[in-house]
């Protein structure tokens, strides 16, 4: 058996009568099987828990209530790979009701082989070889499981190390792009500035072709400046401290719309359905996100159409969903997820941009613990929504739309003293 089982594994013999235990051990030793004689239930537990028990060889006389209980407990507590083989030597009729052997047989996770007295050595050895071969397979499974666990844990460690490494690399890249973008701005401004000076102060002396080139230089420098500004804004959105507070969206939008020149449209274009309510958020990031959405809503309208933008909010369980709807060119369903990626724009549109605005919105909103999305159809306008944790007191009915009519909005406007619904 030593050859079949791992080192230290042996047959535990529990036979209290006369010289039974010694006789059995002699037979086993003669056949090259390692064994140990156990006297008490405590010996049995120690051997099993030490992982040394290849099989339990027990005579019926040894089956004290304590040993039967211990056997039950130990068998049920075995690791998944193990089913301890038990060989029971009995002189009673095995079918006899009330036999201790029958009691022992009952219960889960125990494989019991019965041998009747008088017992011949050859029968005992043949039985033990068979059960130890089965036990050998169990030890093999245990080793494989241990190997798998070791592999998994080393894999997890490697994944964690690689993730940390990647995070560090991403941080370095972000820091690098931030500093490059930052440093690029000054030469770009000089470029644009000098081109404009040349165009303004020396226009009369310059041939038309030179003026065209200078104009192109000034516009390219401006485009590049916009790009670096957006990269800087994106880096800020990914790296800034996100200390969130309760934010009153009505005041936030009122202020943003009052500064409407920055959004590229007159305030008449905007209709804010109040009350928008309050959310948990980071004010500078919210201003950045909503001005990007409002700016896009103004920008992506067909030529000759006046932009009409509506902002409203609704409660959605613990969330407050703020929507910015426009009457613009809309977005095809196939593009609606993609446009939230960095530098992603819809092909074939002549409207200038960098493709970073929505990536900033997504990043910032996610960092505030919220979600962002869009519903739209080509030619039918777009509705961008941002969902953030609500800071509103419990609402009467979750999910109930709270957008009010334009007239009702106008009435609230006066009482609140904030100019939003126009
Ligand atoms: P940019 O506006 O600089 O191009 P964004 O990341 O803000 O970059 O937007 C990505 C693209 O998504 C835009 O180029 C445009 O094609 C599309 N898009 C964004 N907002 C709207 C909108 N309100 N209506 C139609 N298309 C939009």
């Amino acid at each position: 058996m030593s050859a079949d089982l791992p080192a230290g594994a042996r047959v535990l013999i529990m036979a209290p009568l006369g010289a039974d235990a010694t006789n059995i051990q002699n037979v086993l030793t003669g056949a090259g099987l390692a064994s140990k004689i156990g006297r008490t239930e405590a010996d049995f537990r120690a051997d099993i828990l030490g992982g040394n028990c290849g099989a339990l060889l027990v005579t019926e006389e040894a089956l004290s209530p304590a040993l039967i209980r211990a056997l039950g407990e130990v068998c049920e507590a075995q690791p998944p790979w193990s089913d301890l083989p038990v060989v029971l030597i009995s002189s009673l009729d095995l079918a006899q009701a009330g036999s201790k052997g029958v009691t022992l047989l009952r219960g889960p996770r125990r494989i019991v082989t019965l041998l009747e007295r008088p017992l011949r050595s050859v029968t005992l050895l043949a039985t033990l070889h068979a059960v130890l071969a089965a036990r050998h397979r169990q030890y093999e499974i245990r080793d494989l499981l241990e190997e798998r666990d070791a592999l998994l844990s080393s894999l997890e460690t490697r994944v964690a190390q690689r993730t940390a490494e990647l995070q560090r690399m991403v941080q370095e890249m972000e820091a690098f792009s931030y500093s490059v973008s930052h440093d690029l701005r000054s030469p770009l401004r000089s470029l644009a500035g000098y081109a404009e000076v040349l165009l303004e102060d020396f226009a009369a002396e310059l041939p038309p072709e030179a003026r065209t080139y200078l104009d192109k230089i000034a516009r390219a420098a401006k485009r590049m400046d916009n790009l670096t500004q957006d990269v800087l804004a994106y880096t800020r959105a990914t790296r800034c401290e996100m200390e969130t507070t309760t934010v009153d969206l009505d005041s936030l939008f009122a202020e943003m719309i009052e500064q409407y020149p920055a959004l590229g449209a007159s305030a008449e274009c905007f209709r804010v359905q109040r009350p928008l309510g309050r959310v948990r958020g980071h004010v500078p990031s919210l201003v950045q996100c909503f001005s990007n959405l409002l700016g896009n809503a103004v920008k992506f309208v067909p030529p000759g159409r006046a932009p009409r933008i509506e902002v409203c909010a609704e409660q959605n369980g613990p969330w407050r969903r703020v929507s910015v709807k426009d009457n613009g060119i809309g977005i095809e369903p196939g593009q609606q997820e993609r446009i939230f990626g960095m530098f992603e724009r819809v092909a074939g549109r002549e409207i200038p941009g960098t493709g970073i605005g929505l990536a900033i919105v997504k990043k910032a909103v996610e960092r505030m613990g919220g979600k962002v999305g869009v519903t739209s159809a080509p030619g039918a306008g777009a509705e961008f929504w941002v969902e953030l944790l609500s800071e509103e007191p419990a609402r009467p009915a979750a999910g109930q739309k709270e957008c009010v009519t334009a007239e009702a909005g106008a009435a609230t406007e006066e009482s609140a003293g904030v100019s939003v619904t126009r």
Side-chain angles (χ1 to χ4, degrees):
M1 131 148 163
S2 313
D4 286 345
L5 294 176
R10 61 210 167 190
V11 178
L12 180 67
I13 305 164
M14 302 203 67
L17 281 191
D20 266 6
T22 324
N23 291 342
I24 292 172
Q25 189 168 44
N26 287 341
V27 172
L28 266 55
T29 310
L33 297 178
S35 62
K36 182 192 165 188
I37 295 174
R39 298 285 172 204
T40 64
E41 161 259 337
D43 289 344
F44 164 70
R45 279 185 196 271
D47 221 49
I48 300 259
L49 294 175
N52 293 328
C53 194
L56 173 66
L57 184 58
V58 59
T59 60
E60 182 143 17
E61 305 77 49
L63 291 180
S64 64
L67 183 65
I68 293 174
R69 200 173 45 250
L71 187 67
E73 284 168 15
V74 165
C75 285
E76 278 174 41
Q78 291 177 94
W81 57 267
S82 172
D83 280 315
L84 177 72
V86 179
V87 177
L88 172 66
I89 300 171
S90 170
S91 50
L92 297 174
D93 175 1
L94 296 175
Q96 189 187 321
S99 145
K100 287 181 190 170
V102 172
T103 313
L104 173 67
L105 277 173
R106 294 203 183 104
R109 313 271 330 255
R110 61 198 79 174
I111 298 179
V112 183
T113 308
L114 294 166
L115 293 177
E116 270 191 282
R117 283 184 177 124
L119 184 62
R120 295 177 59 210
S121 306
V122 63
T123 313
L124 175 65
L125 290 175
T127 306
L128 278 177
H129 278 300
V131 298
L132 290 176
R135 185 63 166 164
H136 177 69
R137 303 292 299 166
Q138 293 176 20
Y139 281 120
E140 279 181 344
I141 291 170
R142 178 197 64 184
D143 294 346
L144 284 172
L145 289 173
E146 281 174 4
E147 216 173 287
R148 186 203 63 177
D149 288 349
L151 267 174
L152 278 178
S153 94
S154 87
L155 206 64
E156 272 167 23
T157 315
R158 272 168 52 201
V159 168
Q161 280 169 348
R162 194 55 68 82
T163 308
E165 217 171 284
L166 283 172
Q167 274 167 346
R168 193 182 43 74
M169 278 164 67
V170 168
Q171 276 170 6
E172 276 172 14
M173 289 288 289
E174 282 172 358
F176 176 72
S177 70
Y178 189 87
S179 88
V180 168
S181 307
H182 189 266
D183 294 353
L184 272 178
R185 293 203 67 198
S186 155
L188 276 173
R189 281 188 182 153
S190 305
L191 212 66
Y194 285 125
E196 272 162 31
V197 169
L198 280 173
L199 278 170
E200 280 169 20
D201 297 355
F202 300 93
E205 296 150 52
L206 290 169
E209 210 179 355
R211 282 204 300 274
T212 312
Y213 290 148
L214 277 173
D215 191 48
K216 282 187 177 170
I217 290 172
R219 277 191 284 127
K222 178 72 191 138
R223 269 207 311 279
M224 187 81 171
D225 190 41
N226 287 345
L227 185 63
T228 52
Q229 275 190 62
D230 279 0
V231 171
L232 286 172
Y234 181 82
T235 319
R236 268 194 299 273
T238 56
R239 292 160 63 93
C240 71
E241 284 286 320
M242 275 284 172
E243 208 171 299
T244 57
T245 53
T246 301
V247 183
D248 177 14
L249 291 172
D250 295 296
S251 317
L252 188 96
F253 272 90
E255 275 171 34
M256 279 193 308
I257 291 169
E258 266 167 23
Q259 296 161 10
Y260 61 85
L263 298 174
S266 69
E268 281 71 39
C269 301
F270 300 99
R271 179 182 292 269
V272 179
Q273 305 279 22
R274 301 185 61 207
L276 294 176
R278 285 168 302 175
V279 292
R280 185 109 209 129
H282 175 244
V283 175
S285 299
L286 286 177
V287 170
Q288 175 80 71
C289 291
F290 288 123
S291 42
N292 285 6
L293 294 182
L294 293 176
N296 279 351
V298 170
K299 192 164 71 164
F300 291 101
V301 281
R305 185 185 294 173
R308 258 194 12 257
I309 296 122
E310 187 180 305
V311 182
C312 66
E314 64 181 324
Q315 193 72 12
N316 185 11
W319 304 99
R320 193 106 190 124
R321 178 181 277 225
V322 187
S323 300
V324 176
K325 298 181 203 172
D326 63 49
N327 62 337
I329 55 179
I331 306 153
E332 290 200 3
Q335 306 281 352
Q336 289 172 11
E337 215 178 306
R338 195 177 68 79
I339 51 173
F340 288 96
M342 190 79 166
F343 301 120
E344 295 288 359
R345 310 195 72 227
V346 178
R349 293 179 173 177
E350 295 305 312
I351 303 163
T354 60
I356 301 179
L358 290 179
I360 294 176
V361 175
K362 185 171 160 66
K363 177 59 89 177
V365 169
E366 284 177 355
R367 286 195 69 207
M368 285 183 276
K371 283 188 283 190
V372 62
V374 63
T375 47
S376 176
E383 177 176 350
F384 282 85
W385 55 263
V386 167
E387 220 167 61
L388 292 161
L389 263 185
S390 174
E391 289 278 298
E392 286 296 285
R395 295 272 147 182
Q400 191 183 328
K401 199 102 172 163
E402 284 162 23
C403 294
V404 292
T405 61
E407 290 72 23
T412 348
E413 174 186 16
E414 265 182 24
S415 57
V418 186
S419 169
V420 279
T421 305
R422 294 162 207 267

